[in-house]
């Protein structure tokens, strides 16, 4: 499980093609491999991946490698990354950790496309479109995960939805780099999905 509080951005330093998968290698600060074990879960752009290799690069930086299978590439924007791409990283939640965002599984439901971006001195508003079958889960002031970041939806929700980002969020995450036309990973809040689908079943039964 994850909280949607991104701990770092990390640079993709190698992409190795394998049969029905790729091996993704990222470089990040040493602190993020402390007590890491092979098989540990790590969120990369909101996708829960399993660490298959890790180690030090130099005195300041380390690396982690993951195998990303075809199905994960199909549903997420990890299929579009290149060497040099910056990805969001979060280690899995430990008992006793503060939950600053909301509970996330790291299972991406779909992608959304950036349709507008407005930057001002103290705020950035990014608007997205999402596939019609997921629009029913998008509510004003509801929770959503975008590239693994726990965010609150803006007040205006129709065919598009928006999030408002403070400078701190931009500086800590790769949303600072997204442009119109880019795709981001979306994980819908599980509680929201459960409520919506329960109401739909109740209506069908009546």
């Amino acid at each position: 499980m994850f909280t949607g509080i991104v701990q770092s951005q990390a640079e993709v330093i190698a992409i190795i093609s394998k049969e029905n998968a790729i091996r993704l290698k990222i470089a990040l600060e040493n602190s993020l491999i402390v007590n890491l074990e092979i098989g540990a879960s790590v969120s990369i752009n909101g996708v829960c991946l399993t660490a298959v290799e890790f180690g030090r690069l130099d005195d300041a930086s380390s690396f982690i490698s993951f195998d990303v299978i075809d199905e994960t590439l199909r549903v997420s924007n990890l299929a579009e990354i290149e060497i040099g791409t910056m990805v969001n990283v979060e280690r899995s939640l430990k008992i006793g950790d503060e939950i600053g965002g909301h509970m996330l599984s790291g299972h991406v439901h779909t992608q959304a496309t950036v349709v507008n971006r407005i930057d001002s001195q103290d705020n950035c508003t990014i608007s997205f479109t999402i596939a019609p079958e997921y629009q029913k889960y998008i509510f004003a002031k509801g929770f959503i995960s975008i590239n693994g970041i726990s965010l609150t939806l803006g007040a205006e929700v129709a065919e598009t939805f928006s999030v408002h980002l403070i400078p701190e969020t931009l500086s800590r995450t790769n949303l600072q780099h997204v442009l119109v036309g880019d795709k981001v990973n979306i994980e819908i809040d599980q509680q929201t999905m459960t409520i919506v689908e329960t109401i739909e079943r109740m209506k069908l039964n009546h």
Side-chain angles (χ1 to χ4, degrees):
M1 299 297 290
F2 305 95
T3 68
I5 303 301
V6 170
Q7 294 168 296
S8 179
Q9 294 182 72
E11 182 181 359
V12 176
I13 58 173
I15 302 171
I16 303 166
S17 294
K18 306 179 72 176
E19 187 174 354
N20 302 317
I22 63 170
R23 176 159 290 191
L24 182 66
K25 185 175 183 179
I26 65 171
L28 68 178
E29 57 259 43
N30 289 335
S31 61
L32 283 175
I33 69 164
V34 173
N35 298 323
L36 183 72
E37 298 180 356
I38 298 298
S41 296
V42 181
S43 172
I44 303 297
N45 271 7
V47 182
C48 179
L49 297 178
T50 300
V52 297
E53 182 186 20
F54 65 91
R56 292 288 182 96
L57 291 172
D58 53 41
D59 290 342
S61 61
S62 301
F63 74 89
I64 309 179
S65 296
F66 309 91
D67 288 337
V68 187
I69 61 174
D70 279 351
E71 176 62 17
T72 303
L73 294 173
R74 184 185 68 82
V75 300
S76 75
N77 63 10
L78 296 185
E80 301 176 4
I81 62 174
E82 301 173 341
I83 292 175
T85 296
M86 301 300 291
V87 294
N88 294 331
V89 179
E90 182 189 353
R91 292 278 301 272
S92 60
L93 179 67
K94 299 180 181 67
I95 294 174
D97 284 353
E98 179 180 354
I99 301 175
H102 70 284
M103 296 299 292
L104 302 173
S105 67
H107 297 154
V108 169
H109 292 104
T110 187
Q111 295 180 69
T113 303
V114 179
V115 293
N116 193 34
R117 175 175 179 142
I118 301 172
D119 288 278
S120 61
Q121 183 175 352
D122 298 312
N123 183 50
C124 173
T125 299
I126 304 177
S127 301
F128 306 86
T129 57
I130 197 169
E133 60 265 34
Y134 292 99
Q135 289 178 355
K136 61 186 177 182
Y137 304 119
I138 306 298
F139 293 96
K141 304 303 180 182
F143 289 124
I144 197 167
S145 168
I146 299 178
N147 276 0
I149 310 160
S150 174
L151 294 169
T152 302
L153 291 159
E156 297 297 325
V157 175
E159 293 182 358
T160 65
F161 66 91
S162 300
V163 292
H164 305 289
L165 308 173
I166 62 173
E168 175 67 14
T169 303
L170 282 177
S171 68
R172 291 176 60 90
T173 71
N174 63 8
L175 289 187
Q176 65 184 283
H177 305 298
V178 300
L179 302 171
V180 172
D182 288 348
K183 292 184 177 181
V184 295
N185 294 331
I186 299 294
E187 181 180 338
I188 304 295
D189 175 50
Q190 189 58 51
Q191 186 175 12
T192 300
M193 293 188 75
T194 300
I195 292 170
V196 170
E197 291 171 3
T198 298
I199 292 172
E200 286 182 339
R201 286 196 296 272
M202 291 174 64
K203 286 182 178 179
L204 287 174
N205 292 333
H206 289 81

